[in-house]
């Protein structure tokens, strides 16, 4: 009745932003991501079959959750209880090795690890695709963290068809995500609230129409390991998503001054110094610089020299969720 | 054969970005602006009827122009020569009381002042609407600086129909444009180049379609002097224009870190402190905070306290171009 799992966060090359079905979390468009080896969440779940535990208890990064943040996790445990036909309460302990709620997808790695650990502890026989659909209901991007390497989440049209699959394994392409943390403060508007606002932007339809072409290019670029094909689409889709966010009602401006400093720096390094590096930005202020392994040390060094950058985390492509023999409690 | 004119820059509430006809500078959409009393350009033009002057000589803010910057002004003098049926060369001396090429529309005030001074020196009888059409061919936003107060530039469908007109005089509404200068560096991509790139953005069509509604709201807000109606559209259209710019090919990122610092500050002052202030941003890094006269001193003081802000310029609504009795040479 107890299991532990480590799951990587992921960085989307084509973003998920906006929902076609807010209840099921069916997205407006397919998305493509790289699962991260070095930005991960470890979660232990213990189901209480004795019936002594009166409520779920959830501790994340040392803090016992109360109220709305706890409720989102309890709602996911409720889903799992309903699927497994049990009523046990659970003890959940989780920790990430990166700052939460600041543009690195802690909900992706967190809900992937929770889903896998909770199901393993219940002895459920579900495969990765089924687990991807279950995780999606808690956090859309978590559906992608159910797989390692390079992953596409098919929009689909129903609960069971809106799932991710692996395009290529993590050893296919030695890309690096060099993450410039410019602010570790929690976001004022969570991604899950923001998704519902996408429909209010005048740009959502245009972005959704373009994404079909961009997806085809990104699939091709990944297959061919072609960064100069991938990179411009990476930047364009990130800017398009932030254009949607800024023009939604209310307007979401996730960028901070340091965000813009890193964007200009990255473009200058590429255009003036010839370094093959491209940026993307999730729903937060931090900037992810995507480059090949050989370029990463130079990018890290240059980022650390920027006053706006507080921390640099570099990640390789990582595996899918791993069950662990050691538990957090 | 010599005349001098002072013309105000203007700040657009609904922006001009993108051209339907690049040769005539017929825009994709109508735009609405406030002419500025306190950010202006003064220009003296002297036509050389003696035929001694071999070429046009143009001095702007103390620098004699050569090459492409001179060519843009010579091309405008050529237009005026063709219209007036003369071949005189001209001496042009011009100075602005604000930094050039950094998001305050120096081309608007500059080409408005040049057009009016040059035509007056030739004794041409053209009215403000005709001068607006002529100025438009040099710089779209200059068409609006031919009028004082609150001005709409009709897109039109031909050279003579794509002109501005005054909606309300400058004393209609005591608005203030409090300009936060975060960078006075010249832009890497000029507005006139950027306009041609608008067509490459996936968002241009969506923005153009929305602008019809936004224009109606802004006309109504100006008529009623209703800042809480004007303000949200002001911010939305500015963000929409920058969304178009960022997603054009090549991508134009006019913002600097200080831009984002001022955007967040302005929103915090409004949402947390109840100050009625809204932002807009032209094709540059500086932020224009629009508020009523009574709020302006507080905004100025707060802006000056921000480390990212180098200079603050406040402007009232201003008159149309004024012919001057005193010349610059």
């Amino acid at each position: 009745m107890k299991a532990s799992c480590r799951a990587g966060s992921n960085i989307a090359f084509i973003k998920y932003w906006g929902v076609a079905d807010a209840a099921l979390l069916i997205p407006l468009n397919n998305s493509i991501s790289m699962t991260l080896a070095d930005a991960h969440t470890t979660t232990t779940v213990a189901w209480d079959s004795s019936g002594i535990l009166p409520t779920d208890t959830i501790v994340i990064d040392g803090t016992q959750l109360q109220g709305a943040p706890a409720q989102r996790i309890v709602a996911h445990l409720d889903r799992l209880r309903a699927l497994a036909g049990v009523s046990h309460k659970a003890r959940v302990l989780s920790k990430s090795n990166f700052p939460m709620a600041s543009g690195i997808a802690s909900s992706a790695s967190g809900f992937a690890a929770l889903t896998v650990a909770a199901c393993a502890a219940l002895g459920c026989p579900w495969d990765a695709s089924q687990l991807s659909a279950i995780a999606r209901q808690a956090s859309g991007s978590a559906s992608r963290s159910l797989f390692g390497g390079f992953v596409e989440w098919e929009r689909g049209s129903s609960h069971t068809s809106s799932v991710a699959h692996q395009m290529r394994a993590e050893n296919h392409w030695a890309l690096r995500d060099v993450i410039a943390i410019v602010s570790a403060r929690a976001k004022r508007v969570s991604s899950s609230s923001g998704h519902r606002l996408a429909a209010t932007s005048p740009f959502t339809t245009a972005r959704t129409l373009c994404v079909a072409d961009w997806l085809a290019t990104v699939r091709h670029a990944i297959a061919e390991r072609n960064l100069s094909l991938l990179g411009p689409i990476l930047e364009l889709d990130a800017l398009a998503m932030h254009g949607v966010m800024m023009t939604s009602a209310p307007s979401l401006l996730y960028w901070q001054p340091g965000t813009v400093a890193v964007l200009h720096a990255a473009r200058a390094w590429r255009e003036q110094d010839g370094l093959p590096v491209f940026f993307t930005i999730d729903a937060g202020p931090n900037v992810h610089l995507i480059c090949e392994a050989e370029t990463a040390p130079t990018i890290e060094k240059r980022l650390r020299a920027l006053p706006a950058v507080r921390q640099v985390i570099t990640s390789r492509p990582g595996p899918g969720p791993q069950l662990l023999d050691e538990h957090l409690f």
Side-chain angles (χ1 to χ4, degrees), chain A:
Chain A
M1 300 301 282
K2 185 173 186 175
S4 297
C5 174
R6 173 169 294 167
S9 181
N10 66 75
I11 179 65
F13 296 164
I14 296 292
K15 303 296 186 186
Y16 156 51
W17 192 251
V19 283
D21 183 319
L24 289 176
L25 285 198
I26 292 180
L28 288 173
N29 55 269
N30 288 25
S31 51
I32 292 178
S33 60
M34 180 173 87
T35 299
L36 300 179
D38 304 296
H40 51 70
T41 300
T42 305
T43 301
T44 295
V45 177
W47 294 102
D48 171 41
S49 57
S50 71
I52 294 170
L53 201 64
T55 58
D56 298 312
T57 62
I58 300 146
V59 176
I60 294 188
D61 290 329
T63 302
Q64 180 154 353
L65 298 196
Q66 309 286 348
Q71 190 45 48
R72 189 171 172 202
I73 293 168
V74 170
H76 196 55
L77 294 171
D78 286 342
R79 266 180 217 115
L80 296 166
R81 279 186 277 258
L83 287 167
V86 300
S87 59
H88 318 316
K89 300 299 179 186
R91 288 181 63 203
V92 175
L93 206 153
S94 184
K95 58 178 190 183
S96 295
N97 72 336
F98 57 91
M100 283 186 70
S102 59
I104 301 179
S106 58
S107 64
S109 52
F111 280 108
L114 175 68
T115 302
V116 172
C119 291
L122 287 168
C124 297
W126 302 320
D127 66 17
S129 178
Q130 290 170 305
L131 293 169
S132 173
I134 296 167
R136 186 203 74 239
Q137 294 182 279
S139 166
S141 57
S143 70
R144 296 188 308 247
S145 277
L146 260 291
F147 297 89
F150 301 87
V151 179
E152 180 161 358
W153 171 17
E154 291 280 341
R155 177 187 55 203
S157 57
S158 63
H159 173 59
T160 50
S161 62
S162 186
V163 295
H165 67 271
Q166 185 182 69
M167 303 163 68
R168 300 278 173 164
E170 57 269 33
N171 60 2
H172 168 69
W173 190 6
L175 279 186
R176 294 292 179 267
D177 179 11
V178 186
I179 307 163
I181 297 189
V182 299
S183 170
R185 282 185 296 171
K187 295 183 274 190
R188 288 180 58 200
V189 177
S190 72
S191 307
S192 38
S193 309
H195 282 291
R196 289 191 287 274
L197 299 182
T200 65
S201 165
F203 293 158
T204 288
T205 304
R207 177 175 172 263
T208 306
L209 288 170
C210 286
V211 159
D213 284 341
W214 299 343
L215 285 164
T217 304
V218 169
R219 286 184 204 115
H220 187 65
I222 290 172
E224 309 242 310
R225 302 183 196 89
N226 184 338
L227 183 57
S228 56
L229 188 61
L230 175 66
I233 302 295
L234 196 72
E235 295 196 353
L236 177 57
D237 186 51
L239 294 169
M241 180 179 74
H242 283 271
V244 166
M245 291 164 163
M246 290 190 291
T247 57
S248 69
S251 164
L252 302 176
L253 185 58
Y254 285 113
W255 295 6
Q256 291 291 332
T259 311
V260 175
V262 176
L263 300 189
H264 284 296
R267 284 196 168 163
W269 299 340
R270 183 172 76 238
E271 292 167 8
Q272 291 161 34
D273 306 337
L275 286 173
V277 61
F278 297 87
F279 64 74
T280 184
I281 320 164
D282 273 354
N286 301 320
V287 182
H288 297 248
L289 296 186
I290 306 297
C291 60
E292 294 193 281
E294 63 190 21
T295 317
T298 306
I299 300 300
E300 288 168 18
K301 189 177 165 194
R302 289 182 176 218
L303 280 177
R304 289 201 173 95
L306 295 180
V309 174
R310 297 181 186 194
Q311 191 184 348
V312 178
I313 296 171
T314 297
S315 183
R316 300 156 293 156
Q322 310 286 307
L323 285 169
L324 306 176
D325 293 329
E326 291 192 18
H327 304 300
L328 295 177
F329 61 86

